Amino acid sequence: MEAIVAVLLGLPMTLLVTAAAFAIGLIGGIPLMLGLRSRHRVVRLVVRFVVDLIRGIPPIVWLFVLFFGVSIGAFRFNALAAAIVGLGVISAAYVAEIYRGGFATLPTGQTEAARALGLGRRATFVRVLAPQAARTALPSITTFLLALVKDSSIASTIGVTDMVFAANTFVRQNPMTAGLTPFFVAAAVYVAISIPLAIVARRLDSRLRRSA
């Protein structure tokens, strides 16, 4: 029972890191996606390089760089900020690709029809293309959120007091009695969070396939 309570004390931090990083990804992915779809080749290449660089480096390396390596005067990231910013930037790169894929699936006739109706580029993007692309990308975004919930455990490596950190702490404080129980508890909580998200992702995908 003590192990369960100890691990659950880290649940709010796990949810905070996940939710904050996901929110950064949803917002930050928009300008990156626009860069990937830019008409200017130089802009596309630069943004493509940035996105591939972010995605190509393991998340734990980004967190270590932000937490241990970033120091501007008296400013340094604390563990929570480094985890949120690091995972948020990574999320933005992945979500940008999801957004881009959503737009890539749209028929070119959508843009032509909007122009025939007299809509400008901005109105076409906001009113016609974006809603359809968002609908297509929604299952993939939900699946990414599922992965982010599990990846948030990496934050424990820099001292964020999430469930994995709580499990490690409990084991160190009770070496003779804890065993692997705290880690099984943490795994069970991750599963309890992940299964509903997986069900939602599958249902969204099935609904979109039926409506296509």
Side-chain angles (χ1 to χ4, degrees):
M1 187 64 183
E2 292 181 358
I4 296 175
V5 173
V7 172
L8 289 179
L9 288 175
L11 177 59
M13 193 63 71
T14 294
L15 296 178
L16 173 61
V17 171
T18 302
F22 187 61
I24 292 174
L26 290 179
I27 297 171
I30 295 174
L32 290 177
M33 176 273 297
L34 293 175
L36 291 173
R37 300 184 72 249
S38 174
R39 291 178 296 173
H40 304 287
R41 187 169 183 269
V42 174
V43 174
R44 288 199 311 271
L45 290 176
V46 170
V47 176
R48 167 55 59 194
F49 173 78
V50 171
V51 169
D52 289 345
L53 176 66
I54 294 173
R55 296 175 64 190
I57 298 176
I60 192 171
V61 175
W62 282 117
L63 267 59
F64 274 42
V65 168
L66 289 174
F67 184 59
F68 296 109
V70 175
S71 179
I72 305 175
F75 171 80
R76 283 191 61 184
F77 282 107
N78 59 38
L80 178 60
I84 291 175
V85 171
L87 292 176
V89 169
I90 294 168
S91 298
Y94 278 94
V95 171
E97 283 290 2
I98 295 174
Y99 288 159
R100 185 194 61 78
F103 279 96
T105 62
L106 300 179
T108 56
Q110 297 284 339
T111 302
E112 296 171 358
R115 289 177 180 173
L117 293 173
L119 296 178
R121 289 178 55 85
R122 183 175 181 179
T124 299
F125 180 85
V126 174
R127 298 182 182 181
V128 179
L129 301 180
Q132 296 181 68
R135 183 183 178 190
T136 303
L138 192 56
S140 297
I141 291 175
T142 307
T143 301
F144 174 76
L145 176 58
L146 174 63
L148 184 60
V149 170
K150 294 176 288 185
D151 288 345
S152 67
S153 62
I154 299 172
S156 65
T157 60
I158 58 173
V160 175
T161 55
D162 67 344
M163 290 193 296
V164 174
F165 184 91
N168 272 314
T169 301
F170 187 84
V171 169
R172 287 197 300 267
Q173 293 174 347
N174 303 273
M176 303 301 295
T177 59
L180 294 176
T181 300
F183 299 105
F184 284 126
V185 172
V189 177
Y190 279 115
V191 170
I193 297 172
S194 300
I195 287 179
L197 290 175
I199 292 173
V200 169
R202 286 196 297 269
R203 288 184 176 179
L204 285 174
D205 186 58
S206 297
R207 183 174 297 179
L208 289 175
R209 289 178 183 276
R210 287 197 300 267
S211 63

